[in-house]
Amino acid sequence: MPDGPDRSQEFFAALDARRAGILDACTKCGECVRVCPMPGPAGLDVSDAEAVAAGVIELIRTGEGPDAARRWAEICTGSGHCIPACEYAVNPRFMLALARIADLRSTRPAEDLRTGGGRQFGAMSRGVQTLSRLQLPPDLLARLGQIGALAPEPARPETIFYTGCNVLKTPHIALLCLDVMDALGVEYVVRGGPNYCCGVYQFRSGDLAKFADLSGRTIDRFAESGVDEVLSWCPSCQVHLGEAALETREAAGDSPFDLTPFVIWLESRLDDLRPLMTRRVEKRVGLHEHPGVAGIAEAAETILRAIPGLEFVDLAQPRVGYMCNTLSVLPDYKRDVHAEQLAAAEAAGVDALAGIYHACHRELCTHERDWPFEVVNFMELVGESMGLARPDLFKRLKIMQDADTILADSAEMIAEYGLDAGRVREVVVSAMLAEQPLPLGR
């Protein structure tokens, strides 16, 4: 795909072709509506599933459609159950994303779409940059590709580990991934943070021009490295850089690399990983999972079951969304999902509730204070079995539940980076404590 305006024109031509393909292929059978887990919690009547599907197609075609179709697009959490349910080679999750964008673009001024995505991106960037610096010294920030460089990078790495952005708020997770890759002898480079944005905020706000620019820049920078495969940590990046951006470029004949979820890649290396997991982890463990990226939950379970001494417990909970933050469209439902899972983990007598993703960890970790088990990321258990450990400083800070206490505890790091304490406090309140653990009593 060419650079500059020509690249943008080709991207939008390919996106239009994908849109036209969906409009042509969808039979409005309603099967995607029937398998979706969200209408029930939302109180949305989808008894006439065919009519809802037809409304979504009309919304994409004209920007106008029935309220049921608009609401269904609005409450999509990216669970992905609809994708294998479609017999007509349509990705209904992407179809709903196009419907939601069409609705936004028909009801809101273009300037609102541009500024909305920009505000969200700015808030995310401030949160990532500040919270990572409260937890990591400069050498570890450099290891995660955020400042400087530790050493010359290989001219042709085996792969790229793509952190995305928000995992840097809980950097122990990303560092453990790198420690495991080091132990496996993988030659990689690390890319991520706001300078390698997948464009999710712009895509979801309907600012497709900025989405094409940001995602295209990230794809081009990855392609310049010459790698055949990029390992993604974040499911939002996998969906937006993958489904929305890369697949659109592929429709234009440009396939620069494969984007592979790190957890699935790690499972593919399980034969190499097993001999390194020599320490017994005598714990009963339940998994907090989301199905949005196919195969992730199953891969994490397979890896956990391979850890010596670990007893895996299936908590048999609803499988919805691709991270906890996608459930925020229905906050009461999200609260209920969390409360039921915590209660199920206690009833099962687990020693640890292990999540897969960073956004879930930020929301769930503080519940460790009130429940009789620890809340960890599953990579911590992998690391424990290998003799690797990275302290969860985000959890330690958040469990304090007081901004001034957190600032006092972080005074050394604030001084190290020359941060403004007042701005740090604002970020702590908005990007850490705003994700309060709800009072989920037993």
Side-chain angles (χ1 to χ4, degrees), residues 27-47:
T27 65
K28 312 175 190 65
C29 68
E31 193 59 31
C32 54
V33 182
R34 295 186 186 93
V35 301
C36 180
M38 299 312 297
L44 179 61
D45 181 5
V46 292
S47 54

Side-chain angles (χ1 to χ4, degrees), residues 81-417:
H81 299 301
C82 54
I83 298 173
C86 181
E87 299 179 0
Y88 303 99
V90 172
N91 179 336
R93 177 166 65 193
F94 186 65
M95 178 181 76
L96 281 180
L98 293 180
R100 186 171 55 249
I101 291 170
D103 188 23
L104 288 170
R105 292 167 74 88
S106 68
T107 57
R108 299 186 186 180
E111 182 61 24
D112 288 356
L113 304 184
R114 288 192 292 271
T115 58
R119 282 195 301 270
Q120 294 178 60
F121 178 80
M124 176 276 296
S125 297
R126 289 188 294 274
V128 164
Q129 291 168 1
T130 300
L131 295 182
S132 62
R133 282 161 174 76
L134 294 189
Q135 301 173 68
L136 297 183
D139 63 320
L140 291 183
L141 268 186
R143 189 172 182 214
L144 290 175
Q146 297 309 295
I147 56 174
L150 285 177
E153 295 183 337
R156 180 68 185 266
E158 182 180 339
T159 189
I160 292 173
F161 179 76
Y162 179 33
T163 66
C165 294
N166 276 307
V167 73
L168 299 171
K169 295 176 181 175
T170 50
H172 73 292
I173 298 173
L175 288 171
L176 282 166
C177 293
L178 302 188
D179 291 341
V180 170
M181 293 176 75
D182 287 341
L184 289 170
V186 178
E187 191 174 68
Y188 61 88
V189 295
V190 182
R191 298 288 184 267
N195 289 330
Y196 288 85
C197 183
C198 68
V200 54
Y201 298 104
Q202 287 70 26
F203 187 79
R204 291 190 61 85
S205 71
D207 186 359
L208 291 179
K210 192 62 176 176
F211 167 71
D213 177 49
L214 289 175
S215 64
R217 189 183 312 161
T218 297
I219 290 170
D220 288 343
R221 293 172 77 180
F222 288 164
E224 287 170 1
S225 70
V227 300
D228 296 321
E229 182 177 48
V230 173
L231 304 180
S232 69
W233 171 261
C234 175
S236 184
C237 294
Q238 184 70 34
V239 169
H240 293 94
L241 198 70
E243 274 182 24
L246 269 173
E247 288 185 23
T248 299
R249 288 180 63 148
E250 288 169 4
D254 182 25
S255 301
F257 53 81
D258 292 328
L259 188 67
T260 303
F262 175 82
V263 183
I264 290 177
W265 173 86
L266 188 60
E267 183 199 22
S268 76
R269 297 293 301 267
L270 192 55
D271 287 345
D272 300 316
L273 189 62
R274 286 181 194 273
L276 304 176
M277 298 193 296
T278 59
R279 303 191 180 194
R280 295 184 63 81
V281 180
E282 303 288 353
K283 295 177 180 178
R284 284 173 58 84
V285 176
L287 184 64
H288 172 78
E289 58 188 272
H290 294 278
V293 179
I296 290 284
E298 294 80 3
E301 178 180 337
T302 298
I303 293 167
L304 287 174
R305 288 184 181 276
I307 294 175
L310 188 148
E311 179 184 357
F312 183 86
V313 181
D314 185 352
L315 299 177
Q317 293 299 294
R319 292 170 169 86
V320 292
Y322 63 70
M323 277 195 296
C324 284
N325 56 357
T326 65
L327 305 183
S328 296
V329 292
L330 297 175
D332 290 343
Y333 175 64
K334 181 168 79 167
R335 170 194 166 91
D336 291 344
V337 168
H338 285 178
E340 290 168 9
Q341 179 151 88
L342 292 166
E346 181 184 40
V350 303
D351 302 297
L353 177 62
I356 300 174
Y357 291 122
H358 48 287
C360 307
H361 190 71
R362 296 199 311 267
E363 295 198 27
L364 291 172
C365 67
T366 321
H367 290 301
E368 183 175 299
R369 177 190 58 189
D370 304 314
W371 295 79
F373 47 81
E374 60 181 344
V375 178
V376 301
N377 182 268
F378 89 103
M379 287 299 299
E380 295 177 61
L381 300 171
V382 174
E384 186 176 347
S385 72
M386 299 172 67
L388 304 171
R390 294 286 178 178
D392 183 354
L393 299 178
F394 181 93
K395 179 167 67 176
R396 188 180 70 79
L397 291 174
K398 187 175 179 180
I399 213 164
M400 296 174 184
Q401 290 294 289
D402 179 79
D404 293 326
T405 304
I406 292 170
L407 257 67
D409 188 86
S410 305
E412 184 177 339
M413 300 303 287
I414 292 172
E416 169 77 29
Y417 289 104

